[in-house]
Amino acid sequence: MSTLKAVRGTRDLLPPETALWNRIEATARGVFARYNFGEIRTPVFEDTALFARGVGEETDIVSKEMYTWEDRARAQSEKTQTLTLRPENTAGVVRAYIEHQLGETGQLQKLYYIGPQFRRERPQKGRYRQFSQIGAEVIGPASAGSESPLRDAEVLEMLATLLDELGIQGWTLHLNSVGSTADRARYNDALRAALLPVAPRLCVDCQRRAETNPLRVLDCKVPEDQPIIDALPVIADSLDEDSKQHFAAVLAALDAAGVPYTRNHRLVRGLDYYTRTTFEFTHGGLPPHGASSAGTPVLGAQNALLGGGRYDGLSEMLGGPRAPGIGFAMGEDRLVLTLQAQELAAPQVPQVQADAFIAPLGDARDQAALAAINAAGLVLARELRHQGLWIELGDGSFRLKKSFEAADKCARQIVILGEDELKSGILTVKNFSTGVQTKVPRAELAAHLCLI
Ligand code: HAM
């Protein structure tokens, strides 16, 4: 029979890597709490129309990457629906904002989420079909200040803080403004006109994009196309006075807070809901003192650690009230890859070990005695764990040599628990780093194990 494997583009996360995932999530939750964000958890699947309307029918995500299925009605009271595994979380958050009338509070809603997203992309390093995002959204009525450039700057400053606290070295913030819908329409016209004479010299994909969606030409990575694309008009020249002022205020606040950024005229992002500020944080490579050569991209071609921006019209697109907003999503898988590469480059930290390994010593031929010593081992482990110690429990059927070998791999000390120890209440403890063996009364065991 053929063995079953995780589906292409999905993977299992195992210890010790999961410890790093937990550390990242705990750090993110800590930073979000300090900036007064609360957690939102939306369903993993939604009505397909949410993404078609929110993210945009023409985007790569909606046109080719979504996991969508007909969900057949199971009862007369139900309708057959078309459902989709969420490819991103912003549309779901805004749907929830509308559904629960959060705008009625008159307050800014500051919401964060951590969870899986699904896109049928071509898998490669840093790009998966199930991946995890850590994201946040600030949304509310304009009267609550949701449109203010200060919100943009505060979110970006929070991200700089979060990446620093996570220990990500060498990130770059790329910043642009895609203006209002009207600004973008003007820019599209300018771009289309400028592309007409040069399109035949661009790659086949760009020739098609020049006609269907000129903005996407700016995403092209083909090296030969770059000089031509760099010479195209920039969106900054199509912004109206309001959009220009808004962006200038974002930059001024970032300058004041000392958050470094790079203006990137080509950052238009691949989702339709963006207005005004758009941004990405990339990770180009390790700093020069890393073991990998400087500038080596840890993430391969997928160097965007996170992306986001403003979406002032999204709520209306989903049938809700006016509710300007801004947010971002970080690719958690990519944070993990980056931190793992940095840790490889740094001096090795010893693996986390249990405080002690309890070795019950039994006689494998006497089932009753074996069961009794194993039960005694469980009781002792329970006692010590309740006192906060990390304990690994062996098995009474192991010979002493095997217990020592197992203990040496995962714990700093071994506690021998045989018939004699059980009767006398005096246990034998060996410390692997000093090699010292001691007799310890059971009542003092926890304190003794903690001393190391
Ligand atoms: P996005 O740029 O599509 O934006 O995704 C955000 C981040 O998710 C990317 O920068 C990347 O780190 C990660 N990511 C995306 N696709 C994959 C994948 N296939 N495998 C691994 N990581 C991936 C959004 O999703 C928007 N909802 C962000 C946002 C929130 N904008 C406003 N609010």
Side-chain angles (χ1 to χ4, degrees):
M1 212 191 309
S2 63
T3 48
L4 293 169
K5 293 199 168 152
V7 172
R8 182 168 145 81
T10 72
R11 63 218 172 102
D12 303 306
L13 304 174
L14 306 172
E17 187 184 320
T18 37
L20 180 54
W21 285 75
N22 287 329
R23 193 178 90 209
I24 290 172
E25 289 169 18
T27 305
R29 286 179 197 279
V31 170
F32 291 145
R34 282 183 356 240
Y35 285 77
N36 207 22
F37 280 72
E39 184 175 4
I40 182 168
R41 299 187 190 197
T42 64
V44 166
F45 57 86
E46 300 261 6
D47 193 323
T48 305
L50 174 68
F51 305 112
R53 273 158 69 183
V55 176
E57 301 262 20
E58 298 298 319
T59 59
D60 278 359
I61 295 180
V62 174
S63 64
K64 45 187 182 198
E65 294 170 0
M66 296 205 303
Y67 287 95
T68 296
W69 72 99
E70 281 279 293
D71 204 57
R72 270 182 290 129
R74 297 197 55 189
Q76 290 233 309
S77 55
E78 286 181 349
K79 279 192 305 220
T80 293
Q81 289 175 289
T82 306
L83 303 180
T84 293
L85 285 180
R86 63 183 185 198
E88 62 98 55
N89 222 153
T90 309
V93 170
V94 176
R95 181 207 37 77
Y97 174 91
I98 299 167
E99 189 167 334
H100 302 284
Q101 298 170 358
L102 299 182
E104 299 290 300
T105 61
Q107 306 274 312
L108 268 189
Q109 300 297 312
K110 298 168 70 175
L111 304 165
Y112 80 87
Y113 48 84
I114 300 179
Q117 318 292 331
F118 307 85
R119 296 183 193 174
R120 195 187 287 107
E121 292 192 85
R122 196 144 36 84
Q124 55 175 254
K125 189 175 183 190
R127 191 163 74 193
Y128 311 99
R129 291 183 169 178
Q130 174 175 336
F131 58 99
S132 177
Q133 283 186 342
I134 300 180
E137 314 291 346
V138 180
I139 178 169
S143 58
S146 57
E147 236 177 332
S148 165
L150 180 55
R151 300 282 75 82
D152 309 39
E154 192 184 19
V155 162
L156 291 165
E157 187 278 324
M158 175 172 81
L159 279 167
T161 300
L162 177 50
L163 290 177
D164 287 345
E165 289 194 17
L166 285 171
I168 301 275
Q169 299 161 2
W171 51 259
T172 307
L173 160 57
H174 299 260
L175 205 52
N176 196 16
S177 173
V178 295
S180 63
T181 316
D183 295 339
R184 240 182 358 270
R186 233 186 343 268
Y187 181 54
N188 241 317
D189 293 343
L191 210 50
R192 212 181 282 275
L195 278 165
L196 260 184
V198 295
R201 288 191 278 133
L202 292 171
C203 69
V204 195
D205 280 342
C206 281
Q207 294 187 16
R208 182 176 38 80
R209 292 175 189 138
E211 289 191 8
T212 56
N213 194 350
L215 275 184
R216 296 271 75 84
V217 170
L218 305 182
D219 297 335
C220 173
K221 299 261 173 9
V222 175
E224 297 76 36
D225 289 3
Q226 301 313 306
I228 305 172
I229 297 172
D230 284 337
L232 291 170
V234 294
I235 196 160
D237 295 334
S238 296
L239 299 188
D240 68 12
E241 215 30 58
D242 273 359
S243 297
K244 273 189 192 150
Q245 272 179 19
H246 192 276
F247 195 46
V250 176
L251 300 185
L254 287 178
D255 288 338
V259 176
Y261 56 83
T262 304
R263 295 275 304 271
N264 183 341
H265 295 290
R266 286 174 57 174
L267 187 74
V268 287
R269 310 261 306 131
L271 298 88
D272 278 357
Y273 50 62
Y274 288 115
T275 53
R276 297 190 168 170
T277 312
T278 51
F279 56 86
E280 276 181 11
F281 281 70
T282 58
H283 185 270
L286 290 171
H289 53 78
S292 320
S293 59
T296 306
V298 172
L299 297 172
Q302 308 306 313
N303 70 345
L305 287 172
L306 68 96
R310 203 163 247 296
Y311 43 85
D312 290 347
L314 178 55
S315 175
E316 290 103 309
M317 276 153 69
L318 299 177
R322 181 163 145 65
I326 177 159
F328 65 86
M330 324 175 80
E332 197 177 356
D333 305 72
R334 297 186 188 178
L335 294 175
V336 168
L337 279 172
T338 307
L339 289 174
Q340 280 173 334
Q342 282 180 195
E343 274 164 28
L344 273 184
Q348 288 296 304
V349 216
Q351 242 204 344
V352 181
Q353 291 197 310
D355 293 310
F357 181 101
I358 295 175
L361 277 190
D363 179 351
R365 290 160 307 180
D366 180 346
Q367 286 302 316
L370 189 59
I373 201 73
N374 271 341
L378 183 63
V379 172
L380 180 61
R382 179 174 158 88
E383 246 169 63
L384 296 172
R385 285 171 177 152
H386 280 196
Q387 292 176 77
L389 283 133
W390 290 19
I391 300 296
E392 186 66 46
L393 180 57
D395 192 275
S397 65
F398 292 0
R399 286 168 190 275
L400 190 59
K401 184 163 176 271
K402 180 167 171 186
S403 286
F404 265 88
E405 282 167 4
D408 197 26
K409 288 198 185 107
C410 66
R412 291 180 287 114
Q413 305 166 88
I414 185 168
V415 180
I416 314 287
L417 181 68
E419 292 277 333
D420 293 347
E421 284 82 1
L422 202 55
K423 277 198 200 107
S424 65
I426 306 289
L427 296 132
T428 307
V429 178
K430 181 166 181 184
N431 179 327
F432 291 122
S433 54
T434 61
V436 175
Q437 195 157 310
T438 334
K439 298 272 184 207
V440 185
R442 186 164 180 152
E444 294 165 23
L445 187 59
H448 178 89
L449 294 174
C450 281
L451 287 178
I452 311 303

